[in-house]
Amino acid sequence: MWIRLMEMNRSSGADFILLGFSSRPQLEHAISVVVFIFYIVTLVGNTTIILVSYLDSQLHTPMYFFLSNLSFVDLCYTTSIVPQMLVNLWGPKKSITYGGCVLQFFFALDLGATECLLLAVMAYDRYAAVCQPLHYTVIMHPVLCQKMVLSAWMGGLGSALILCSLTLKLPRCGHREVDNFFCEMPALIKMACVYSRVIEIVVFTLGVIFLLVPLSLILISYGVITQAVMKIKSAARWKKVLNTCGSHLTVVTLFYGTLIYMYMKPQNTISHEEGQFFTLFYTIVTPSLNPLIYTLRNKDVKSAVRRILGIDKHSGKV
């Protein structure tokens, strides 16, 4: 049955039409320039974090292992969306193939869910570092870190497979217009010519599992961290804790805030312009801000970059 429905959907039109910002064509060129700039910042920033974390032995710690995975997720996430988006913004055609739409849809779900879990894992790492400093290396040993990251990736993969299979079953009755600039789940569900209570329940349930539960664990971790920080008497250590935790908390606020607003709120209450703004923010803007937030607030990363480039810290000369 599922295969037959997919074949019917596929045969109803070779390409999908990504409406994107077609309602305001005068803004498309300006938007394309902004998106291109953010994409370059995302590529350079996240690639730098991955390379620096790998090349500098002083950054071979759980925190930077998780941060490297987060940067890799952001790289893959934006790359699955932005190139096709720029082609559509620059060219006369606003189309995407059925296969391309399915892949874009799958990777957006997979990588988005993986990032939610990674951010929760990183909060636990910060809890262990601040609240259990003497036992940190025992608690966050390499095998555990690898298992936690693998669990995050597998969790994202599982949720993407479930939602993709359910969404692609929905009959579209020949509808080909996707009311967004990429193939995102809410837009694809709106294309269906039938209402599915099952998908609504599954989306809400997975939203609780991948958004609300990790966010609750993050908030609990930071509640305990806050109590521990208040007891720290060393000003230098207090400042370092605030820098590393502050960076993570800023990323969490930006990412979870927009995602929860989009996925946990009833879709019929979100306007077209409002939905596009929030989607643009968490798919394009947030991945470019993550490396900036971590590097600008983190002396370890900046020092590692200087060491790799061979720049003397005091003289500024090579």
Side-chain angles (χ1 to χ4, degrees):
M1 182 65 178
W2 177 37
I3 295 175
R4 186 157 62 250
L5 282 170
M6 286 184 66
E7 288 176 349
M8 290 172 60
N9 283 338
R10 194 182 295 112
S11 62
S12 65
D15 294 345
F16 284 163
I17 307 299
L18 294 172
L19 296 179
F21 305 94
S22 55
S23 60
R24 298 188 178 184
Q26 70 277 11
L27 297 178
E28 287 189 338
H29 290 297
I31 291 172
S32 68
V33 172
V34 173
V35 169
F36 180 75
I37 292 172
F38 273 108
Y39 184 51
I40 294 300
V41 172
T42 300
L43 291 179
V44 173
N46 286 290
T47 301
T48 299
I49 285 180
I50 293 171
L51 290 176
V52 169
S53 299
Y54 176 76
L55 294 174
D56 193 279
S57 59
Q58 294 187 30
L59 298 185
H60 291 178
T61 63
M63 176 182 173
Y64 294 102
F65 173 65
F66 297 138
L67 182 56
S68 296
N69 275 271
L70 182 67
S71 293
F72 183 70
V73 168
D74 285 338
L75 278 176
C76 296
Y77 188 69
T78 52
T79 301
S80 69
I81 297 170
V82 173
Q84 180 68 53
M85 180 184 178
L86 291 176
V87 168
N88 289 347
L89 285 171
W90 288 337
K93 296 181 68 177
K94 311 295 182 185
S95 62
I96 184 172
T97 64
Y98 177 84
C101 187
V102 170
L103 286 175
Q104 202 174 62
F105 173 43
F106 174 80
F107 283 118
L109 286 174
D110 181 14
L111 298 168
T114 301
E115 180 154 352
C116 289
L117 297 179
L118 277 176
L119 289 171
V121 168
M122 293 173 74
Y124 177 73
D125 172 69
R126 292 299 83 207
Y127 156 77
V130 176
C131 301
Q132 303 289 334
L134 299 179
H135 305 286
Y136 178 71
T137 55
V138 176
I139 296 173
M140 301 302 295
H141 56 83
V143 176
L144 177 62
C145 293
Q146 291 167 9
K147 287 181 178 179
M148 294 172 76
V149 167
L150 180 61
S151 297
W153 281 98
M154 295 306 295
L157 178 63
S159 67
L161 289 173
I162 293 171
L163 290 175
C164 277
S165 62
L166 290 174
T167 305
L168 295 176
K169 286 181 183 179
L170 295 174
R172 295 192 306 275
C173 304
H175 296 162
R176 298 171 55 208
E177 294 184 342
V178 181
D179 191 17
N180 210 330
F181 54 83
F182 81 104
C183 292
E184 191 185 27
M185 185 177 62
L188 292 179
I189 291 176
K190 285 181 182 178
M191 290 174 64
C193 51
V194 296
Y195 168 74
S196 175
R197 178 67 175 170
V198 174
I199 285 188
E200 190 175 83
I201 294 172
V202 171
V203 168
F204 181 81
T205 302
L206 290 177
V208 171
I209 295 172
F210 286 91
L211 289 174
L212 297 185
V213 171
L215 181 59
S216 299
L217 294 174
I218 290 171
L219 294 178
I220 291 171
S221 297
Y222 275 104
V224 178
I225 287 172
T226 301
Q227 291 181 337
V229 167
M230 300 303 293
K231 299 176 182 178
I232 295 176
K233 297 181 179 179
S234 170
R237 185 165 179 264
W238 189 82
K239 185 177 180 181
K240 184 175 182 180
V241 168
L242 285 184
N243 282 338
T244 56
C245 292
S247 299
H248 179 252
L249 198 55
T250 304
V251 170
V252 166
T253 303
L254 292 173
F255 183 74
Y256 275 98
T258 50
L259 270 186
I260 288 175
Y261 186 87
M262 282 295 295
Y263 281 86
M264 300 302 293
K265 188 177 180 181
Q267 293 300 313
N268 56 6
T269 63
I270 301 176
S271 67
H272 175 72
E273 290 77 12
E274 187 181 25
Q276 283 194 332
F277 170 78
F278 279 98
T279 303
L280 191 68
F281 190 84
Y282 71 74
T283 57
I284 310 297
V285 179
T286 302
S288 67
L289 294 179
N290 288 356
L292 294 177
I293 291 169
Y294 276 105
T295 54
L296 291 177
R297 293 177 61 91
N298 196 312
K299 292 182 179 180
D300 292 340
V301 175
K302 290 186 282 189
S303 298
V305 171
R306 294 192 189 98
R307 285 194 296 270
I308 292 171
L309 296 177
I311 300 175
D312 184 80
K313 182 177 180 180
H314 300 289
S315 66
K317 296 179 182 180
V318 178

